[in-house]
Amino acid sequence: MLSKENRLLKRKEFNYLYKNGIAKHTAHLTMVYIPTKHRPIKIGFTVANKIGKAVVRNLVKRRLRACVREIVPNLPNNYNVVIIAKTGIESLTFDQLKNETLTLFERADLK
């Protein structure tokens, strides 16, 4: 689990990011981010019903959180980020998901 200060939880913040954020894509993930002022980095996750039933969606979210937890100490502060899972992500292994997550943060120049 990410620490409380690094979690993006409010619907209002998610919607603001979707409307105003900068998007970067990989084959199975999309990241939307926006710079903020004087805050630690906050990260949220979105997994749509298209991915599968609740068990599968929760598995994908747990894996994404585990991948991001290792990266967070190296990321710059002052950003809000939402990571959106695309269809097909449920078939990836953990190592493939981790590599794709790293690629996503490198494309956004946040690494």
Side-chain angles (χ1 to χ4, degrees):
M1 185 65 79
L2 288 171
S3 65
K4 189 163 184 165
E5 68 178 9
N6 294 122
R7 283 186 245 161
L8 190 68
L9 297 173
K10 296 182 181 177
R11 183 182 197 101
K12 182 171 69 170
E13 292 174 330
F14 276 86
N15 288 336
Y16 183 79
L17 269 167
Y18 294 142
K19 289 179 185 173
N20 302 311
I22 302 161
K24 299 292 179 183
H25 307 278
T26 62
H28 298 98
L29 293 170
T30 298
M31 180 169 70
V32 181
Y33 64 98
I34 195 165
T36 60
K37 292 183 180 179
H38 312 296
R39 291 177 65 182
I41 189 164
K42 289 191 173 245
I43 302 173
F45 302 94
T46 302
V47 182
N49 287 339
K50 288 187 222 179
I51 304 298
K53 297 196 180 223
V55 173
V56 176
R57 292 193 311 266
N58 290 335
L59 175 69
V60 170
K61 282 189 276 189
R62 279 195 309 271
R63 286 180 173 178
L64 282 171
R65 279 191 222 111
C67 292
V68 171
R69 187 181 316 119
E70 297 174 9
I71 302 170
V72 166
N74 302 327
L75 296 175
N77 284 332
N78 304 329
Y79 279 97
N80 283 353
V81 178
V82 173
I83 297 176
I84 305 164
K86 296 180 185 178
T87 55
I89 195 168
E90 66 278 1
S91 63
L92 294 180
T93 65
F94 183 75
D95 290 333
Q96 291 171 328
L97 185 62
K98 189 173 179 180
N99 288 336
E100 197 154 332
T101 307
L102 286 169
T103 303
L104 196 60
F105 278 98
E106 287 169 359
R107 285 187 184 174
D109 293 326
L110 296 180
K111 182 87 170 121

